[in-house]
Amino acid sequence: PTSVTTRLASGSFASGTLQYRLDSVDGPIIASVPLSNTGGWQSWTSRVATVSGSVTGVHRVYLTFTGPPGQDLTNINWFQFHRGS
C-alpha cells in the first residue's frame, strides 16, 4: 500500500488531526495523521499513515487540520509519499 510519512513536532496541549486531501481544501481525504504533544515545538517525530484508495495521475495535495479553534497545534517539517510494492 501507498503511505505518507509526516515529520512533525508539537508543544501543544491540544490534539487534532492532519488530513491530506486531493485537489481542494474540501476534496477527498486520502490520509489522516493524529496530532498530539511530542514533547516540544522542536521535538520532531515521524508518523506514517496509509493512503486510502487508489490514487493515480497528477493532483494538488492540500493539508487541512482539525482541532480546537484558536490553538497552536503542530509544526510540520516535511512530508513524503511512498509507493507500495
Side-chain angles (χ1 to χ4, degrees):
T2 301
S3 63
V4 60
T5 300
T6 308
R7 187 78 171 157
L8 56 89
S10 178
S12 178
F13 293 105
S15 59
T17 305
L18 163 62
Q19 300 169 326
Y20 288 89
R21 294 176 177 261
L22 289 185
D23 301 320
S24 71
V25 296
D26 58 356
I29 298 169
I30 59 166
S32 294
V33 178
L35 301 173
S36 59
N37 190 302
T38 63
W41 293 107
Q42 296 298 314
S43 292
W44 299 98
T45 188
S46 296
R47 299 211 173 128
V48 178
T50 300
V51 173
S52 62
S54 177
V55 179
T56 60
V58 177
H59 297 271
R60 290 180 187 249
V61 176
Y62 288 78
L63 279 60
T64 60
F65 300 86
T66 66
Q71 298 263 340
D72 291 332
L73 196 55
T74 192
N75 284 339
I76 304 292
N77 185 262
W78 53 261
F79 60 91
Q80 182 176 23
F81 287 92
H82 308 273
R83 189 177 341 187
S85 52

